[in-house]
Amino acid sequence: METFNREGNVATLLTTLFALDMAETKRKSLQATAELQAQVKIALELAQSPSTNQKLPEKPIEGEWLADLSEMGVSLVEALTVKELYHIQGLLQSATLRQVEILKHFKMPGAVKMNKTMANYYIRRLFSERENVEAWQRRPPTSRVMQGLLYINGSFTRGMTQHQAQRRLRKSGVQSPSKYREWKHIETLFLGVNDLVIRQRNATRKITWKRFYHYYDELKSNGVPSDEISVEMMLARIAYHQRGKLRSTHFGGDESVLLAAI
């Protein structure tokens, strides 16, 4: 049975550990490089931070994880804790939308392609400086927050910061819960149809809020309840308009047939 030491062979351990979760093609592509080893070291350091994931227990991983590792012939000199496992798993997870938003605001290279753990690491470094915290708090509202205020209230106050606009949006949600729920659904749809991977898969182009509402209102006018409108419905509508004749020939040039096929 092979034994791994955390300091000397942690990259090899990572490769073995994620063999449990990863698809075959991705597992083959994962190499125990110096860069990966450095990232694993960062993940382990993040786990030691007193401010990170307080709800995660400090006890070593057990149960299925240990059983699977044992079956693979791996024995750990020093067991990983649940916290450490959480951060190591983050190396193979995409950064969250909020993490990307923060990194892009500070013009961090490669923000979109960064993994969750490394995004966490760089954000911690950024926010260790007070001026960066203040700059983030003073940033102007995002288009989504402004669109939310416009949808629920019909207007928004110019000059607000993102923090103030978000607080106003939450207050509006309490005052108009049904309108707020519909807005959150709209926001999810907008993010879905503009997601890069989804757009590449469906051969559609990014759309503006104005164009989004055009398609959204078309579906509602055709009798589709707002809470039943899906990303797939929106994409079919977008593809029909963006690809025009190419898509319409598949449905005999009849748009109503396309809508019925959704």
Side-chain angles (χ1 to χ4, degrees):
M1 178 178 286
E2 188 172 1
T3 300
F4 289 94
N5 182 284
R6 180 197 307 235
E7 294 298 326
N9 301 285
V10 69
T12 308
L13 170 61
L14 178 66
T15 303
T16 305
L17 192 63
F18 278 108
L20 306 175
D21 280 341
M22 296 167 56
E24 183 69 16
T25 54
K26 197 167 186 179
R27 181 170 75 247
K28 289 180 179 178
S29 68
L30 183 61
Q31 302 297 323
T33 61
E35 180 182 358
L36 175 61
Q37 192 161 350
Q39 289 193 9
V40 174
K41 184 178 180 181
I42 288 172
L44 296 174
E45 289 174 355
L46 283 172
Q48 304 308 313
S49 172
S51 62
T52 185
N53 302 302
Q54 293 289 349
K55 295 182 180 180
L56 293 178
E58 296 283 358
K59 64 182 182 180
I61 58 172
E62 54 187 17
E64 291 184 7
W65 274 103
L66 287 184
D68 289 337
L69 289 172
S70 179
E71 288 179 9
M72 297 173 65
V74 177
S75 178
L76 304 179
V77 170
E78 189 174 353
L80 294 173
T81 66
V82 176
K83 271 189 178 183
E84 290 169 334
L85 179 62
Y86 170 85
H87 287 286
I88 288 178
Q89 285 177 320
L91 294 173
L92 290 178
Q93 298 170 349
S94 298
T96 65
L97 288 174
R98 179 168 176 78
Q99 286 178 323
V100 172
E101 183 182 357
I102 294 172
L103 293 171
K104 288 176 70 174
H105 177 79
F106 289 101
K107 298 178 172 57
M108 180 68 67
V112 175
K113 296 183 179 180
M114 197 172 293
N115 64 58
K116 186 176 180 180
T117 293
M118 293 307 297
N120 185 8
Y121 170 71
Y122 285 117
I123 289 171
R124 283 172 179 270
R125 290 184 60 182
L126 285 167
F127 286 169
S128 66
E129 299 180 17
R130 183 174 179 179
E131 56 267 31
N132 287 337
V133 176
E134 293 174 351
W136 176 247
Q137 293 175 339
R138 293 195 305 268
R139 74 194 188 281
T142 64
S143 62
R144 294 209 312 274
V145 172
M146 288 191 292
Q147 286 294 331
L149 289 172
L150 282 171
Y151 189 80
I152 297 174
N153 300 330
S155 64
F156 66 90
T157 304
R158 295 188 180 278
M160 286 192 297
T161 65
Q162 170 74 357
H163 178 70
Q164 292 169 331
Q166 284 179 317
R167 187 170 55 188
R168 180 76 57 82
L169 185 59
R170 287 193 294 269
K171 183 177 180 180
S172 299
V174 173
Q175 296 170 342
S176 305
S178 60
K179 195 79 171 177
Y180 183 77
R181 283 194 299 271
E182 184 175 2
W183 157 247
K184 295 305 292 183
H185 182 56
I186 288 172
E187 184 181 33
T188 300
L189 292 174
F190 183 80
L191 291 173
V193 299
N194 279 316
D195 179 81
L196 178 59
V197 175
I198 293 176
R199 286 192 290 112
Q200 289 176 338
R201 187 167 61 237
N202 291 273
T204 55
R205 298 186 299 275
K206 193 172 183 178
I207 62 172
T208 63
W209 277 105
K210 181 178 180 180
R211 182 56 57 182
F212 171 88
Y213 278 120
H214 174 75
Y215 300 136
Y216 182 80
D217 291 339
E218 277 187 344
L219 285 169
K220 289 181 68 174
S221 67
N222 277 278
V224 183
S226 58
D227 60 348
E228 293 182 12
I229 296 176
S230 65
V231 171
E232 290 73 20
M233 288 181 179
M234 292 290 295
L235 286 171
R237 197 80 186 178
I238 293 167
Y240 179 84
H241 285 277
Q242 289 186 350
R243 298 209 290 269
K245 294 180 180 179
L246 179 63
R247 174 55 71 96
S248 64
T249 56
H250 182 68
F251 294 95
D254 187 350
E255 187 173 351
S256 63
V257 177
L258 169 65
L259 290 174
I262 298 175

